[in-house]
Amino acid sequence: MEICPPLQVLRGHPRFLAWSLSVIALGGYGYLLRDWRWLMFTVCLPSLLFLPALWFIDESPRWLIVKGRHQEALRVLRRAAKWNKVKLPRDEELLTVMAEIQKEQEDGRSQGRASSSALVDHLRSAGNELIILFKTRRIRTLTLYLYVNYVVAGLVYYGLSLGGDKFGVDPFVYMSLSGAMEIPGSTLTIPWSTGWAGGLRTPFASSSRLPFFWCLGSYRQVRTRPRFVIDEKTRKR
């Protein structure tokens, strides 16, 4: 999102906010409906409402072009241009470009079938692209930092999410609180992600360091507080 225009970033943030609110609601919903089978069934049931959308969503223009359905691809591009208020070139020019794309795709497939070393060439190309991440000392350092950051963030995130019983709190309350904790990340970060409050380096570094100190501060409580266990009496309550 850091490479998107400010307006696009503002449109993307409500998507994360909806996720946080749904996690909060899921904690209360799980408290009311204790049977996990019915819980999973009722939570997944609303997704069936999106099935009719398959008849209204347009196909990918590139897929239509590769399949030779150029007129359908042209209609999809016209509709997208109308929504985005963009003027397209003439239909003749677009059809010419589509024919070239289809021909390139077909030529690539025929060459891939004719060449016995196509897989080796593909692996060699992928290896060359991977080497770029370690080509210079600066890039190696950035690559290492990114990988370590994502691994540690994933371990901490899922460790806290799946280890809520070790905090000695009600798991349903913990579920709702875990969703509430993500709301600041969906709202307070808007000024930085849109560039209104300076760059991204300081907020990004702070967001990585503050949870570290919070985890250290809560380590003692995790070891000393009793675990919350859901027995049959609590489950039926």
Side-chain angles (χ1 to χ4, degrees):
M1 297 181 65
E2 62 271 12
I3 62 175
C4 298
L7 183 59
Q8 299 296 331
V9 175
L10 291 177
R11 293 175 180 175
H13 273 279
R15 175 168 58 91
F16 298 103
L17 182 60
W19 166 267
S20 303
L21 296 177
S22 63
V23 173
I24 296 175
L26 186 60
Y29 188 59
Y31 177 81
L32 298 175
L33 190 62
R34 297 300 180 91
D35 189 274
W36 69 270
R37 296 178 181 86
W38 281 105
L39 177 63
M40 295 300 298
F41 176 75
T42 53
V43 168
C44 297
L45 191 61
S47 61
L48 297 177
L49 299 176
F50 293 96
L51 288 179
L54 296 175
W55 283 269
F56 301 98
I57 298 177
D58 295 322
E59 290 284 358
S60 168
R62 181 172 180 81
W63 183 84
L64 293 173
I65 293 172
V66 172
K67 295 298 182 180
R69 298 158 61 176
H70 296 173
Q71 291 297 331
E72 296 181 42
L74 190 60
R75 285 195 294 269
V76 174
L77 291 176
R78 287 174 184 166
R79 189 178 297 110
K82 182 179 179 180
W83 288 344
N84 293 276
K85 298 179 181 180
V86 177
K87 185 177 180 180
L88 290 176
R90 295 183 304 172
D91 293 350
E92 293 78 8
E93 298 179 9
L94 291 176
L95 292 174
T96 302
V97 174
M98 292 179 186
E100 294 176 355
I101 294 175
Q102 183 182 7
K103 186 176 183 303
E104 291 177 359
Q105 187 73 18
E106 293 175 351
D107 293 343
R109 290 178 179 176
S110 60
Q111 292 177 2
R113 289 191 295 265
S115 177
S116 59
S117 60
L119 179 60
V120 177
D121 295 338
H122 180 73
L123 293 177
R124 184 181 294 109
S125 177
N128 293 334
E129 294 179 359
L130 183 62
I131 292 175
I132 296 176
L133 298 176
F134 306 94
K135 193 171 184 179
T136 64
R137 181 178 180 181
R138 177 66 174 172
I139 296 180
R140 285 196 300 269
T141 303
L142 293 176
T143 301
L144 180 61
Y145 282 165
L146 286 175
Y147 273 93
V148 171
N149 180 72
Y150 277 103
V151 169
V152 173
L155 292 175
V156 173
Y157 180 83
Y158 288 105
L160 294 176
S161 300
L162 302 178
D165 59 325
K166 297 180 177 60
F167 286 87
V169 297
D170 190 307
F172 305 107
V173 175
Y174 181 82
M175 184 72 179
S176 298
L177 289 178
S178 64
M181 291 172 60
E182 296 189 14
I183 292 181
S186 305
T187 55
L188 300 181
T189 57
I190 292 179
W192 288 278
S193 59
T194 55
W196 296 341
L200 296 174
R201 180 179 300 179
T202 300
F204 181 78
S206 301
S207 63
S208 299
R209 290 183 174 90
L210 291 178
F212 169 75
F213 292 107
W214 179 84
C215 290
L216 288 180
S218 61
Y219 177 73
R220 182 179 178 82
Q221 295 182 353
V222 174
R223 291 179 58 88
T224 57
R225 297 189 64 176
R227 296 179 61 181
F228 186 92
V229 180
I230 302 180
D231 53 13
E232 291 298 327
K233 183 178 180 180
T234 306
R235 188 185 302 275
K236 297 178 181 179
R237 189 171 55 192

